[in-house]
Amino acid sequence: MVFGKVYDALGWLGRQCLPLRCLVCSNPGKDGLDLCAACHAELPWNDHACPLCALPLPSGEPVGACGACLREPPRQVGAAATFLYAPPIDRLVLRFKFHQDLAAGRLLAQLMLQAVPAFATDPLLPMPLHGRRLRERGYDQARELARPLARELGLPLWSGLCRSRATVAQSTLDADARRQNLRGAFAVQATPPPRLTLVDDVMTTGATLDAAVRALRRSGLQEATLWVCARAP
Ligand SMILES: [Zn+2]
Ligand SMILES: [Zn+2]
């Protein structure tokens, strides 16, 4: 994708020419990141979570499947969310997603690489945006996150899944309407590899990711794992 190449080149040039600057507080960045040491120390890592759905577990509770996953095991075999959807990650995600702030996206990907889940050895599948949303926004945030992850980890990107129609924002709907909204939302255009890791920016109920996994499983995918930047409980 030409845009991606131009962005990579501009990002590379920018990194050579501009001093690192904390995207949260504007102090000098550190360790190759646009983030200062103080803000890095305050990040809301999600490192005590259900290994199946990435929901944070109460502190003191041993790491294991959460109650919801025990009652109804999810379709994916593993899930990791690098962060809780909390300050300053929530603001960085919003800037990246809705305000064309690709530097925020680059930082989020770099931070995801500081806590790579053990299962991340399979091809990565960025959650696709519908074509209309992509045209409106100009870039696809899941792909912008997944590209540097794939490059750094030496994993292929797989892109055989697409949105067959635009869906209403899930956050505006109740549970039944969400399921209805997602019916037929994805189309699988190529035979998937046996295992895939789906990559997205934020996981809330997980219904959209689940709908994607369901479509992929129908087309022959054996195992799916999820790797997202932030988990909104
Ligand atoms: Zn800072
Ligand atoms: Zn769970």
Side-chain angles (χ1 to χ4, degrees):
M1 195 165 124
V2 175
F3 179 79
K5 289 208 175 72
V6 171
Y7 162 59
D8 275 352
L10 287 176
W12 181 85
L13 264 179
R15 284 192 293 280
Q16 309 310 307
C17 307
L18 296 172
L20 297 167
R21 182 68 51 197
C22 180
L23 296 178
V24 180
C25 74
S26 302
N27 278 331
K30 198 164 180 287
D31 298 333
L33 299 177
D34 282 320
L35 192 70
C36 73
C39 289
H40 190 278
E42 297 292 316
L43 289 174
W45 299 97
N46 182 34
D47 45 15
H48 185 70
C50 169
L52 293 178
C53 73
L55 201 68
L57 297 168
S59 59
E61 202 169 280
V63 171
C66 70
C69 288
L70 286 175
R71 277 191 301 278
E72 193 181 342
R75 249 178 275 268
Q76 71 272 7
V77 299
T82 311
F83 296 109
L84 301 171
Y85 192 70
I89 295 297
D90 52 357
R91 276 172 287 156
L92 290 170
V93 167
L94 290 175
R95 279 161 58 173
F96 171 45
K97 205 163 170 169
F98 298 112
H99 301 282
Q100 315 281 324
D101 190 341
L102 292 170
R106 189 177 63 231
L107 173 62
L108 293 171
Q110 288 171 316
L111 292 171
M112 288 174 79
L113 284 165
Q114 294 189 350
V116 177
F119 59 66
T121 56
D122 301 318
L124 302 181
L125 164 62
M127 280 292 280
L129 268 185
H130 189 260
R132 178 161 57 77
R133 292 254 170 82
L134 181 58
R135 281 192 297 278
E136 284 163 6
R137 196 171 292 170
Y139 59 98
D140 176 336
Q141 76 271 9
R143 177 162 286 271
E144 292 297 325
L145 284 180
R147 228 150 31 121
L149 302 181
R151 192 172 52 224
E152 291 299 319
L153 299 173
L155 300 174
L157 281 178
W158 189 77
S159 52
L161 183 72
C162 72
R163 293 264 181 170
S164 35
R165 58 181 175 77
T167 48
V168 180
Q170 287 285 100
S171 52
T172 62
L173 305 171
D174 66 21
D176 274 348
R178 280 177 189 227
R179 274 189 290 278
Q180 195 63 40
N181 184 38
L182 289 167
R183 198 151 291 161
F186 292 99
V188 182
Q189 296 179 312
T191 306
R195 285 179 302 277
L196 279 170
T197 295
L198 282 66
V199 175
D200 209 355
D201 52 355
V202 180
M203 175 174 176
T204 306
T205 64
T208 311
L209 284 155
D210 180 69
V213 172
R214 191 177 53 207
L216 289 160
R217 290 283 303 270
R218 278 208 208 102
S219 300
L221 179 74
Q222 287 161 26
E223 278 189 358
T225 47
L226 315 179
W227 185 11
V228 300
C229 181
R231 183 68 153 99

PDB file of all heavy atoms in Angstrom, residues 8-46:
ATOM      1  N   ASP A   8       5.673   5.092   6.400  1.00  0.00           N
ATOM      2  CA  ASP A   8       6.883   4.496   6.988  1.00  0.00           C
ATOM      3  C   ASP A   8       8.086   5.404   6.751  1.00  0.00           C
ATOM      4  O   ASP A   8       8.883   5.641   7.644  1.00  0.00           O
ATOM      5  CB  ASP A   8       7.163   3.124   6.360  1.00  0.00           C
ATOM      6  CG  ASP A   8       6.358   2.044   7.077  1.00  0.00           C
ATOM      7  OD1 ASP A   8       5.742   2.374   8.103  1.00  0.00           O
ATOM      8  OD2 ASP A   8       6.363   0.901   6.606  1.00  0.00           O
ATOM      9  N   ALA A   9       8.218   5.877   5.505  1.00  0.00           N
ATOM     10  CA  ALA A   9       9.371   6.706   5.154  1.00  0.00           C
ATOM     11  C   ALA A   9       9.338   8.015   5.937  1.00  0.00           C
ATOM     12  O   ALA A   9      10.351   8.469   6.471  1.00  0.00           O
ATOM     13  CB  ALA A   9       9.383   6.982   3.652  1.00  0.00           C
ATOM     14  N   LEU A  10       8.141   8.612   6.025  1.00  0.00           N
ATOM     15  CA  LEU A  10       8.023   9.872   6.773  1.00  0.00           C
ATOM     16  C   LEU A  10       8.311   9.633   8.255  1.00  0.00           C
ATOM     17  O   LEU A  10       9.005  10.420   8.895  1.00  0.00           O
ATOM     18  CB  LEU A  10       6.616  10.460   6.612  1.00  0.00           C
ATOM     19  CG  LEU A  10       6.309  11.068   5.254  1.00  0.00           C
ATOM     20  CD1 LEU A  10       4.857  11.526   5.221  1.00  0.00           C
ATOM     21  CD2 LEU A  10       7.243  12.228   4.942  1.00  0.00           C
ATOM     22  N   GLY A  11       7.797   8.513   8.765  1.00  0.00           N
ATOM     23  CA  GLY A  11       8.040   8.195  10.168  1.00  0.00           C
ATOM     24  C   GLY A  11       9.521   8.003  10.419  1.00  0.00           C
ATOM     25  O   GLY A  11      10.071   8.509  11.404  1.00  0.00           O
ATOM     26  N   TRP A  12      10.191   7.331   9.502  1.00  0.00           N
ATOM     27  CA  TRP A  12      11.626   7.089   9.642  1.00  0.00           C
ATOM     28  C   TRP A  12      12.379   8.421   9.620  1.00  0.00           C
ATOM     29  O   TRP A  12      13.217   8.686  10.482  1.00  0.00           O
ATOM     30  CB  TRP A  12      12.119   6.176   8.510  1.00  0.00           C
ATOM     31  CG  TRP A  12      13.576   5.866   8.617  1.00  0.00           C
ATOM     32  CD1 TRP A  12      14.152   4.876   9.356  1.00  0.00           C
ATOM     33  CD2 TRP A  12      14.654   6.565   7.968  1.00  0.00           C
ATOM     34  NE1 TRP A  12      15.510   4.928   9.228  1.00  0.00           N
ATOM     35  CE2 TRP A  12      15.857   5.946   8.386  1.00  0.00           C
ATOM     36  CE3 TRP A  12      14.724   7.646   7.091  1.00  0.00           C
ATOM     37  CZ2 TRP A  12      17.112   6.379   7.941  1.00  0.00           C
ATOM     38  CZ3 TRP A  12      15.960   8.076   6.657  1.00  0.00           C
ATOM     39  CH2 TRP A  12      17.141   7.442   7.076  1.00  0.00           C
ATOM     40  N   LEU A  13      12.010   9.274   8.643  1.00  0.00           N
ATOM     41  CA  LEU A  13      12.653  10.581   8.544  1.00  0.00           C
ATOM     42  C   LEU A  13      12.429  11.394   9.819  1.00  0.00           C
ATOM     43  O   LEU A  13      13.349  11.995  10.359  1.00  0.00           O
ATOM     44  CB  LEU A  13      12.052  11.364   7.363  1.00  0.00           C
ATOM     45  CG  LEU A  13      12.805  11.298   6.048  1.00  0.00           C
ATOM     46  CD1 LEU A  13      12.039  12.104   5.002  1.00  0.00           C
ATOM     47  CD2 LEU A  13      14.218  11.845   6.207  1.00  0.00           C
ATOM     48  N   GLY A  14      11.159  11.364  10.268  1.00  0.00           N
ATOM     49  CA  GLY A  14      10.815  12.115  11.474  1.00  0.00           C
ATOM     50  C   GLY A  14      11.648  11.660  12.656  1.00  0.00           C
ATOM     51  O   GLY A  14      12.132  12.470  13.432  1.00  0.00           O
ATOM     52  N   ARG A  15      11.813  10.319  12.749  1.00  0.00           N
ATOM     53  CA  ARG A  15      12.563   9.802  13.900  1.00  0.00           C
ATOM     54  C   ARG A  15      14.027  10.208  13.835  1.00  0.00           C
ATOM     55  O   ARG A  15      14.680  10.328  14.857  1.00  0.00           O
ATOM     56  CB  ARG A  15      12.419   8.278  13.989  1.00  0.00           C
ATOM     57  CG  ARG A  15      11.064   7.853  14.521  1.00  0.00           C
ATOM     58  CD  ARG A  15      11.020   6.380  14.882  1.00  0.00           C
ATOM     59  NE  ARG A  15      11.146   5.511  13.724  1.00  0.00           N
ATOM     60  CZ  ARG A  15      10.142   5.233  12.899  1.00  0.00           C
ATOM     61  NH1 ARG A  15       8.959   5.746  13.115  1.00  0.00           N
ATOM     62  NH2 ARG A  15      10.308   4.440  11.869  1.00  0.00           N
ATOM     63  N   GLN A  16      14.540  10.406  12.597  1.00  0.00           N
ATOM     64  CA  GLN A  16      15.942  10.804  12.489  1.00  0.00           C
ATOM     65  C   GLN A  16      16.121  12.285  12.844  1.00  0.00           C
ATOM     66  O   GLN A  16      17.141  12.690  13.358  1.00  0.00           O
ATOM     67  CB  GLN A  16      16.489  10.588  11.062  1.00  0.00           C
ATOM     68  CG  GLN A  16      16.248   9.211  10.479  1.00  0.00           C
ATOM     69  CD  GLN A  16      16.661   8.077  11.396  1.00  0.00           C
ATOM     70  OE1 GLN A  16      17.783   8.044  11.872  1.00  0.00           O
ATOM     71  NE2 GLN A  16      15.742   7.169  11.672  1.00  0.00           N
ATOM     72  N   CYS A  17      15.102  13.091  12.528  1.00  0.00           N
ATOM     73  CA  CYS A  17      15.261  14.542  12.602  1.00  0.00           C
ATOM     74  C   CYS A  17      14.713  15.148  13.879  1.00  0.00           C
ATOM     75  O   CYS A  17      15.217  16.158  14.353  1.00  0.00           O
ATOM     76  CB  CYS A  17      14.547  15.214  11.428  1.00  0.00           C
ATOM     77  SG  CYS A  17      15.048  14.549   9.843  1.00  0.00           S
ATOM     78  N   LEU A  18      13.649  14.565  14.429  1.00  0.00           N
ATOM     79  CA  LEU A  18      12.984  15.233  15.545  1.00  0.00           C
ATOM     80  C   LEU A  18      13.415  14.602  16.863  1.00  0.00           C
ATOM     81  O   LEU A  18      13.548  13.390  16.952  1.00  0.00           O
ATOM     82  CB  LEU A  18      11.465  15.074  15.396  1.00  0.00           C
ATOM     83  CG  LEU A  18      10.855  15.746  14.176  1.00  0.00           C
ATOM     84  CD1 LEU A  18       9.388  15.355  14.044  1.00  0.00           C
ATOM     85  CD2 LEU A  18      10.989  17.254  14.260  1.00  0.00           C
ATOM     86  N   PRO A  19      13.595  15.423  17.896  1.00  0.00           N
ATOM     87  CA  PRO A  19      13.870  14.839  19.203  1.00  0.00           C
ATOM     88  C   PRO A  19      12.626  14.099  19.697  1.00  0.00           C
ATOM     89  O   PRO A  19      11.505  14.458  19.333  1.00  0.00           O
ATOM     90  CB  PRO A  19      14.178  16.058  20.077  1.00  0.00           C
ATOM     91  CG  PRO A  19      13.532  17.205  19.406  1.00  0.00           C
ATOM     92  CD  PRO A  19      13.478  16.890  17.932  1.00  0.00           C
ATOM     93  N   LEU A  20      12.829  13.059  20.508  1.00  0.00           N
ATOM     94  CA  LEU A  20      11.686  12.335  21.051  1.00  0.00           C
ATOM     95  C   LEU A  20      10.959  13.236  22.044  1.00  0.00           C
ATOM     96  O   LEU A  20      11.574  13.949  22.820  1.00  0.00           O
ATOM     97  CB  LEU A  20      12.170  11.064  21.761  1.00  0.00           C
ATOM     98  CG  LEU A  20      12.870  10.045  20.867  1.00  0.00           C
ATOM     99  CD1 LEU A  20      13.573   9.005  21.717  1.00  0.00           C
ATOM    100  CD2 LEU A  20      11.870   9.387  19.936  1.00  0.00           C
ATOM    101  N   ARG A  21       9.622  13.181  21.981  1.00  0.00           N
ATOM    102  CA  ARG A  21       8.817  14.098  22.793  1.00  0.00           C
ATOM    103  C   ARG A  21       7.685  13.275  23.392  1.00  0.00           C
ATOM    104  O   ARG A  21       7.002  12.552  22.669  1.00  0.00           O
ATOM    105  CB  ARG A  21       8.287  15.189  21.847  1.00  0.00           C
ATOM    106  CG  ARG A  21       7.468  16.283  22.449  1.00  0.00           C
ATOM    107  CD  ARG A  21       8.188  17.217  23.368  1.00  0.00           C
ATOM    108  NE  ARG A  21       9.425  17.805  22.856  1.00  0.00           N
ATOM    109  CZ  ARG A  21      10.352  18.385  23.654  1.00  0.00           C
ATOM    110  NH1 ARG A  21      10.170  18.434  24.954  1.00  0.00           N
ATOM    111  NH2 ARG A  21      11.431  18.908  23.136  1.00  0.00           N
ATOM    112  N   CYS A  22       7.504  13.352  24.694  1.00  0.00           N
ATOM    113  CA  CYS A  22       6.439  12.569  25.343  1.00  0.00           C
ATOM    114  C   CYS A  22       5.078  13.030  24.823  1.00  0.00           C
ATOM    115  O   CYS A  22       4.732  14.211  24.919  1.00  0.00           O
ATOM    116  CB  CYS A  22       6.506  12.714  26.864  1.00  0.00           C
ATOM    117  SG  CYS A  22       5.213  11.780  27.709  1.00  0.00           S
ATOM    118  N   LEU A  23       4.293  12.095  24.273  1.00  0.00           N
ATOM    119  CA  LEU A  23       2.983  12.447  23.717  1.00  0.00           C
ATOM    120  C   LEU A  23       1.958  12.704  24.810  1.00  0.00           C
ATOM    121  O   LEU A  23       0.864  13.179  24.539  1.00  0.00           O
ATOM    122  CB  LEU A  23       2.488  11.324  22.792  1.00  0.00           C
ATOM    123  CG  LEU A  23       3.327  11.076  21.542  1.00  0.00           C
ATOM    124  CD1 LEU A  23       2.760   9.913  20.747  1.00  0.00           C
ATOM    125  CD2 LEU A  23       3.389  12.317  20.677  1.00  0.00           C
ATOM    126  N   VAL A  24       2.312  12.387  26.053  1.00  0.00           N
ATOM    127  CA  VAL A  24       1.378  12.613  27.155  1.00  0.00           C
ATOM    128  C   VAL A  24       1.634  13.960  27.814  1.00  0.00           C
ATOM    129  O   VAL A  24       0.711  14.726  28.060  1.00  0.00           O
ATOM    130  CB  VAL A  24       1.483  11.466  28.197  1.00  0.00           C
ATOM    131  CG1 VAL A  24       0.509  11.694  29.354  1.00  0.00           C
ATOM    132  CG2 VAL A  24       1.230  10.118  27.532  1.00  0.00           C
ATOM    133  N   CYS A  25       2.913  14.282  28.103  1.00  0.00           N
ATOM    134  CA  CYS A  25       3.193  15.489  28.897  1.00  0.00           C
ATOM    135  C   CYS A  25       4.189  16.439  28.228  1.00  0.00           C
ATOM    136  O   CYS A  25       4.526  17.474  28.817  1.00  0.00           O
ATOM    137  CB  CYS A  25       3.713  15.096  30.275  1.00  0.00           C
ATOM    138  SG  CYS A  25       5.416  14.500  30.235  1.00  0.00           S
ATOM    139  N   SER A  26       4.682  16.085  27.038  1.00  0.00           N
ATOM    140  CA  SER A  26       5.580  16.944  26.257  1.00  0.00           C
ATOM    141  C   SER A  26       7.004  17.049  26.799  1.00  0.00           C
ATOM    142  O   SER A  26       7.818  17.794  26.254  1.00  0.00           O
ATOM    143  CB  SER A  26       5.010  18.358  26.077  1.00  0.00           C
ATOM    144  OG  SER A  26       3.772  18.286  25.455  1.00  0.00           O
ATOM    145  N   ASN A  27       7.332  16.342  27.861  1.00  0.00           N
ATOM    146  CA  ASN A  27       8.734  16.268  28.290  1.00  0.00           C
ATOM    147  C   ASN A  27       9.534  15.462  27.269  1.00  0.00           C
ATOM    148  O   ASN A  27       8.953  14.791  26.427  1.00  0.00           O
ATOM    149  CB  ASN A  27       8.825  15.607  29.674  1.00  0.00           C
ATOM    150  CG  ASN A  27       8.540  16.606  30.785  1.00  0.00           C
ATOM    151  OD1 ASN A  27       8.798  17.797  30.644  1.00  0.00           O
ATOM    152  ND2 ASN A  27       7.981  16.114  31.874  1.00  0.00           N
ATOM    153  N   PRO A  28      10.870  15.491  27.332  1.00  0.00           N
ATOM    154  CA  PRO A  28      11.646  14.683  26.387  1.00  0.00           C
ATOM    155  C   PRO A  28      11.321  13.192  26.531  1.00  0.00           C
ATOM    156  O   PRO A  28      11.111  12.703  27.651  1.00  0.00           O
ATOM    157  CB  PRO A  28      13.095  14.976  26.799  1.00  0.00           C
ATOM    158  CG  PRO A  28      13.042  16.284  27.504  1.00  0.00           C
ATOM    159  CD  PRO A  28      11.713  16.327  28.200  1.00  0.00           C
ATOM    160  N   GLY A  29      11.261  12.506  25.401  1.00  0.00           N
ATOM    161  CA  GLY A  29      11.021  11.072  25.417  1.00  0.00           C
ATOM    162  C   GLY A  29      12.256  10.322  25.854  1.00  0.00           C
ATOM    163  O   GLY A  29      13.325  10.909  26.066  1.00  0.00           O
ATOM    164  N   LYS A  30      12.112   8.979  25.996  1.00  0.00           N
ATOM    165  CA  LYS A  30      13.229   8.185  26.484  1.00  0.00           C
ATOM    166  C   LYS A  30      13.199   6.799  25.832  1.00  0.00           C
ATOM    167  O   LYS A  30      12.128   6.313  25.481  1.00  0.00           O
ATOM    168  CB  LYS A  30      13.116   8.041  28.010  1.00  0.00           C
ATOM    169  CG  LYS A  30      14.413   7.620  28.677  1.00  0.00           C
ATOM    170  CD  LYS A  30      14.374   7.859  30.174  1.00  0.00           C
ATOM    171  CE  LYS A  30      15.690   7.432  30.815  1.00  0.00           C
ATOM    172  NZ  LYS A  30      15.830   5.954  30.859  1.00  0.00           N
ATOM    173  N   ASP A  31      14.363   6.182  25.680  1.00  0.00           N
ATOM    174  CA  ASP A  31      14.484   4.815  25.171  1.00  0.00           C
ATOM    175  C   ASP A  31      13.823   4.642  23.805  1.00  0.00           C
ATOM    176  O   ASP A  31      13.165   3.626  23.549  1.00  0.00           O
ATOM    177  CB  ASP A  31      13.881   3.807  26.168  1.00  0.00           C
ATOM    178  CG  ASP A  31      14.613   3.818  27.503  1.00  0.00           C
ATOM    179  OD1 ASP A  31      15.815   4.157  27.513  1.00  0.00           O
ATOM    180  OD2 ASP A  31      13.983   3.504  28.530  1.00  0.00           O
ATOM    181  N   GLY A  32      13.987   5.632  22.946  1.00  0.00           N
ATOM    182  CA  GLY A  32      13.460   5.511  21.587  1.00  0.00           C
ATOM    183  C   GLY A  32      11.963   5.674  21.493  1.00  0.00           C
ATOM    184  O   GLY A  32      11.370   5.399  20.446  1.00  0.00           O
ATOM    185  N   LEU A  33      11.310   6.129  22.565  1.00  0.00           N
ATOM    186  CA  LEU A  33       9.854   6.270  22.553  1.00  0.00           C
ATOM    187  C   LEU A  33       9.463   7.741  22.677  1.00  0.00           C
ATOM    188  O   LEU A  33      10.152   8.515  23.346  1.00  0.00           O
ATOM    189  CB  LEU A  33       9.227   5.527  23.738  1.00  0.00           C
ATOM    190  CG  LEU A  33       9.435   4.022  23.841  1.00  0.00           C
ATOM    191  CD1 LEU A  33       8.797   3.504  25.121  1.00  0.00           C
ATOM    192  CD2 LEU A  33       8.850   3.307  22.628  1.00  0.00           C
ATOM    193  N   ASP A  34       8.318   8.072  22.087  1.00  0.00           N
ATOM    194  CA  ASP A  34       7.732   9.394  22.325  1.00  0.00           C
ATOM    195  C   ASP A  34       6.965   9.338  23.646  1.00  0.00           C
ATOM    196  O   ASP A  34       5.751   9.573  23.708  1.00  0.00           O
ATOM    197  CB  ASP A  34       6.809   9.777  21.162  1.00  0.00           C
ATOM    198  CG  ASP A  34       7.602  10.250  19.950  1.00  0.00           C
ATOM    199  OD1 ASP A  34       8.598  10.969  20.134  1.00  0.00           O
ATOM    200  OD2 ASP A  34       7.227   9.879  18.821  1.00  0.00           O
ATOM    201  N   LEU A  35       7.672   8.986  24.697  1.00  0.00           N
ATOM    202  CA  LEU A  35       7.082   8.854  26.033  1.00  0.00           C
ATOM    203  C   LEU A  35       8.207   9.056  27.037  1.00  0.00           C
ATOM    204  O   LEU A  35       9.301   8.505  26.860  1.00  0.00           O
ATOM    205  CB  LEU A  35       6.488   7.449  26.190  1.00  0.00           C
ATOM    206  CG  LEU A  35       5.578   7.218  27.398  1.00  0.00           C
ATOM    207  CD1 LEU A  35       4.254   7.959  27.235  1.00  0.00           C
ATOM    208  CD2 LEU A  35       5.304   5.717  27.585  1.00  0.00           C
ATOM    209  N   CYS A  36       7.950   9.841  28.097  1.00  0.00           N
ATOM    210  CA  CYS A  36       9.006  10.074  29.088  1.00  0.00           C
ATOM    211  C   CYS A  36       8.992   8.948  30.121  1.00  0.00           C
ATOM    212  O   CYS A  36       8.054   8.152  30.196  1.00  0.00           O
ATOM    213  CB  CYS A  36       8.821  11.440  29.761  1.00  0.00           C
ATOM    214  SG  CYS A  36       7.455  11.495  30.930  1.00  0.00           S
ATOM    215  N   ALA A  37      10.049   8.878  30.914  1.00  0.00           N
ATOM    216  CA  ALA A  37      10.181   7.794  31.890  1.00  0.00           C
ATOM    217  C   ALA A  37       9.059   7.857  32.926  1.00  0.00           C
ATOM    218  O   ALA A  37       8.519   6.819  33.323  1.00  0.00           O
ATOM    219  CB  ALA A  37      11.546   7.871  32.564  1.00  0.00           C
ATOM    220  N   ALA A  38       8.693   9.070  33.358  1.00  0.00           N
ATOM    221  CA  ALA A  38       7.654   9.198  34.391  1.00  0.00           C
ATOM    222  C   ALA A  38       6.308   8.699  33.870  1.00  0.00           C
ATOM    223  O   ALA A  38       5.601   7.969  34.563  1.00  0.00           O
ATOM    224  CB  ALA A  38       7.543  10.653  34.843  1.00  0.00           C
ATOM    225  N   CYS A  39       5.954   9.083  32.647  1.00  0.00           N
ATOM    226  CA  CYS A  39       4.679   8.623  32.085  1.00  0.00           C
ATOM    227  C   CYS A  39       4.728   7.117  31.803  1.00  0.00           C
ATOM    228  O   CYS A  39       3.723   6.417  31.971  1.00  0.00           O
ATOM    229  CB  CYS A  39       4.330   9.415  30.830  1.00  0.00           C
ATOM    230  SG  CYS A  39       3.872  11.127  31.188  1.00  0.00           S
ATOM    231  N   HIS A  40       5.893   6.611  31.393  1.00  0.00           N
ATOM    232  CA  HIS A  40       6.025   5.169  31.171  1.00  0.00           C
ATOM    233  C   HIS A  40       5.766   4.402  32.461  1.00  0.00           C
ATOM    234  O   HIS A  40       5.106   3.351  32.464  1.00  0.00           O
ATOM    235  CB  HIS A  40       7.418   4.844  30.613  1.00  0.00           C
ATOM    236  CG  HIS A  40       7.555   3.428  30.127  1.00  0.00           C
ATOM    237  ND1 HIS A  40       7.805   2.374  30.977  1.00  0.00           N
ATOM    238  CD2 HIS A  40       7.462   2.887  28.886  1.00  0.00           C
ATOM    239  CE1 HIS A  40       7.864   1.253  30.272  1.00  0.00           C
ATOM    240  NE2 HIS A  40       7.647   1.535  29.002  1.00  0.00           N
ATOM    241  N   ALA A  41       6.268   4.948  33.573  1.00  0.00           N
ATOM    242  CA  ALA A  41       6.117   4.268  34.865  1.00  0.00           C
ATOM    243  C   ALA A  41       4.660   4.217  35.329  1.00  0.00           C
ATOM    244  O   ALA A  41       4.304   3.402  36.169  1.00  0.00           O
ATOM    245  CB  ALA A  41       6.973   4.968  35.917  1.00  0.00           C
ATOM    246  N   GLU A  42       3.826   5.086  34.758  1.00  0.00           N
ATOM    247  CA  GLU A  42       2.416   5.158  35.189  1.00  0.00           C
ATOM    248  C   GLU A  42       1.469   4.406  34.254  1.00  0.00           C
ATOM    249  O   GLU A  42       0.252   4.477  34.424  1.00  0.00           O
ATOM    250  CB  GLU A  42       1.970   6.634  35.237  1.00  0.00           C
ATOM    251  CG  GLU A  42       2.712   7.489  36.244  1.00  0.00           C
ATOM    252  CD  GLU A  42       2.377   7.087  37.682  1.00  0.00           C
ATOM    253  OE1 GLU A  42       1.191   6.871  37.953  1.00  0.00           O
ATOM    254  OE2 GLU A  42       3.317   6.970  38.500  1.00  0.00           O
ATOM    255  N   LEU A  43       2.002   3.713  33.266  1.00  0.00           N
ATOM    256  CA  LEU A  43       1.115   3.080  32.277  1.00  0.00           C
ATOM    257  C   LEU A  43       0.257   1.993  32.919  1.00  0.00           C
ATOM    258  O   LEU A  43       0.733   1.251  33.789  1.00  0.00           O
ATOM    259  CB  LEU A  43       1.957   2.470  31.139  1.00  0.00           C
ATOM    260  CG  LEU A  43       2.619   3.480  30.205  1.00  0.00           C
ATOM    261  CD1 LEU A  43       3.533   2.748  29.222  1.00  0.00           C
ATOM    262  CD2 LEU A  43       1.583   4.308  29.464  1.00  0.00           C
ATOM    263  N   PRO A  44      -1.020   1.888  32.496  1.00  0.00           N
ATOM    264  CA  PRO A  44      -1.931   0.903  33.087  1.00  0.00           C
ATOM    265  C   PRO A  44      -1.798  -0.470  32.426  1.00  0.00           C
ATOM    266  O   PRO A  44      -2.695  -0.932  31.713  1.00  0.00           O
ATOM    267  CB  PRO A  44      -3.312   1.523  32.821  1.00  0.00           C
ATOM    268  CG  PRO A  44      -3.136   2.255  31.529  1.00  0.00           C
ATOM    269  CD  PRO A  44      -1.714   2.758  31.515  1.00  0.00           C
ATOM    270  N   TRP A  45      -0.658  -1.146  32.673  1.00  0.00           N
ATOM    271  CA  TRP A  45      -0.449  -2.482  32.088  1.00  0.00           C
ATOM    272  C   TRP A  45      -1.555  -3.424  32.562  1.00  0.00           C
ATOM    273  O   TRP A  45      -1.939  -3.396  33.731  1.00  0.00           O
ATOM    274  CB  TRP A  45       0.913  -3.050  32.502  1.00  0.00           C
ATOM    275  CG  TRP A  45       2.075  -2.220  32.049  1.00  0.00           C
ATOM    276  CD1 TRP A  45       2.750  -1.290  32.787  1.00  0.00           C
ATOM    277  CD2 TRP A  45       2.700  -2.227  30.752  1.00  0.00           C
ATOM    278  NE1 TRP A  45       3.751  -0.725  32.029  1.00  0.00           N
ATOM    279  CE2 TRP A  45       3.743  -1.279  30.779  1.00  0.00           C
ATOM    280  CE3 TRP A  45       2.464  -2.937  29.570  1.00  0.00           C
ATOM    281  CZ2 TRP A  45       4.559  -1.018  29.677  1.00  0.00           C
ATOM    282  CZ3 TRP A  45       3.287  -2.693  28.471  1.00  0.00           C
ATOM    283  CH2 TRP A  45       4.320  -1.743  28.524  1.00  0.00           C
ATOM    284  N   ASN A  46      -1.993  -4.272  31.678  1.00  0.00           N
ATOM    285  CA  ASN A  46      -3.034  -5.261  32.020  1.00  0.00           C
ATOM    286  C   ASN A  46      -2.350  -6.618  32.179  1.00  0.00           C
ATOM    287  O   ASN A  46      -2.504  -7.518  31.372  1.00  0.00           O
ATOM    288  CB  ASN A  46      -4.080  -5.306  30.891  1.00  0.00           C
ATOM    289  CG  ASN A  46      -5.221  -6.255  31.184  1.00  0.00           C
ATOM    290  OD1 ASN A  46      -5.639  -6.416  32.320  1.00  0.00           O
ATOM    291  ND2 ASN A  46      -5.724  -6.911  30.141  1.00  0.00           N
TER     292      ASN A  46
END
